[in-house]
């Protein structure tokens, strides 16, 4: 009974759990360090780049939205949540990104209704027109910490050692060694030398 239930639960799991997937099962543009742990291997029809550094754990759901999208994760980093990449997301070394976090490097749709009015019909045909969608790379620098349920939007750079409080919506750059929080996120304070 337990075996049958476990087998059923595992068959419902939407991703493959892997320590280091055999090369024949991984997109040839993916470059994972030998000791990296990637729990959800993205299945994408696009030609994309995805690299993961040594001693890093990626438990995030990764959605590549189009050809040429790149995701780079540094060493000794933990990534959870959902990363949505149409352009570029770069995450440095020694970074912690908590559960429920969303990092997205684009607007998803045009802000003009006339330019997005056919988006759903296009999706039904397996198409997406990116010409009117604003996107900009996201960078999360070394030693940053992103709290749970935070949202990091397009074009944001979280500086070295920056901390984003839980539940924050980050629309502007976070200075190095500062704490931000709120919606929209605002600087709370700068970390002292003894806190770095």
């Amino acid at each position: 009974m337990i075996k049958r239930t476990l087998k059923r639960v595992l068959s419902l799991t939407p991703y493959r759990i892997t320590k280091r997937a055999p090369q024949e099962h991984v997109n040839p543009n993916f470059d994972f360090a030998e000791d990296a742990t990637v729990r959800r291997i993205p299945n994408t029809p696009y030609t994309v780049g995805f690299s993961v550094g040594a001693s890093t754990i990626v438990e995030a759901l990764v959605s590549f939205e189009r050809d040429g999208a790149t995701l780079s994760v540094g060493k000794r980093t933990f990534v959870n949540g959902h990363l949505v990449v149409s352009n570029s997301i770069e995450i440095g070394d020694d970074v912690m990104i908590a559960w429920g976090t969303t990092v997205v490097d684009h607007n998803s749709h045009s802000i003009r209704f006339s330019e997005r009015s056919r988006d759903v019909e296009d999706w039904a045909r397996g198409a997406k027109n990116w010409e009117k969608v604003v996107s900009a790379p996201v960078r999360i620098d070394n030693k940053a910490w992103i709290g749970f349920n935070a949202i990091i939007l397009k074009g944001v750079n979280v500086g070295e050692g920056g901390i984003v409080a839980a539940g924050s919506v980050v629309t502007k750059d976070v200075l190095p060694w500062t704490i931000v929080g709120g919606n929209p996120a605002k600087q709370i304070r700068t970390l002292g030398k003894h806190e770095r």
Side-chain angles (χ1 to χ4, degrees):
M1 175 71 167
I2 292 175
K3 242 180 167 177
R4 188 173 48 208
T5 303
L6 181 59
K7 186 175 180 181
R8 181 161 186 251
V9 168
L10 289 176
S11 71
L12 298 174
T13 304
Y15 54 89
R16 177 183 24 198
I17 296 179
T18 182
K19 184 70 169 164
R20 169 100 168 125
Q23 198 57 39
E24 65 270 12
H25 295 294
V26 176
N27 183 313
N29 295 317
F30 292 0
D31 179 21
F32 301 156
E34 194 60 42
D35 65 344
T37 302
V38 179
R39 298 206 189 277
R40 301 177 186 199
I41 305 292
N43 183 11
T44 179
Y46 304 114
T47 302
V48 298
F50 184 12
S51 63
V52 179
S55 301
T56 286
I57 301 170
V58 177
E59 293 191 345
L61 172 63
V62 178
S63 299
F64 288 107
E65 298 279 285
R66 64 178 169 169
D67 281 334
T70 60
L71 172 60
S72 171
V73 183
K75 299 177 282 196
R76 299 173 306 278
T77 290
F78 176 80
V79 183
N80 210 325
H82 188 188
L83 308 176
V84 186
V85 193
S86 79
N87 187 327
S88 170
I89 295 177
E90 185 177 349
I91 300 168
D93 299 336
D94 304 302
V95 172
M96 294 186 299
I97 299 178
W99 54 269
T101 296
T102 300
V103 180
V104 61
D105 68 358
H106 60 284
N107 280 352
S108 298
H109 309 279
S110 171
I111 61 169
R112 294 182 183 182
F113 176 74
S114 62
E115 294 173 352
R116 71 173 185 271
S117 64
R118 302 192 49 91
D119 281 0
V120 175
E121 292 170 332
D122 288 346
W123 295 340
R125 292 190 333 267
K128 170 93 174 171
N129 180 357
W130 286 96
E131 291 177 14
K132 305 293 183 182
V133 178
V134 178
S135 70
V138 172
R139 175 163 171 75
I140 300 173
D141 286 336
N142 299 340
K143 304 173 187 168
W145 174 21
I146 313 300
F148 68 90
N149 287 335
I151 300 171
I152 311 289
L153 296 176
K154 71 178 184 312
V156 167
N157 180 40
V158 177
E160 180 180 23
I163 298 174
V164 175
S168 299
V169 177
V170 184
T171 60
K172 296 183 177 158
D173 289 353
V174 176
L175 295 173
W177 304 107
T178 61
I179 301 172
V180 300
N183 180 8
K186 295 184 177 164
Q187 184 171 332
I188 296 170
R189 71 179 180 92
T190 300
L191 293 164
K193 297 261 186 213
H194 66 285
E195 296 175 297
R196 299 180 185 187

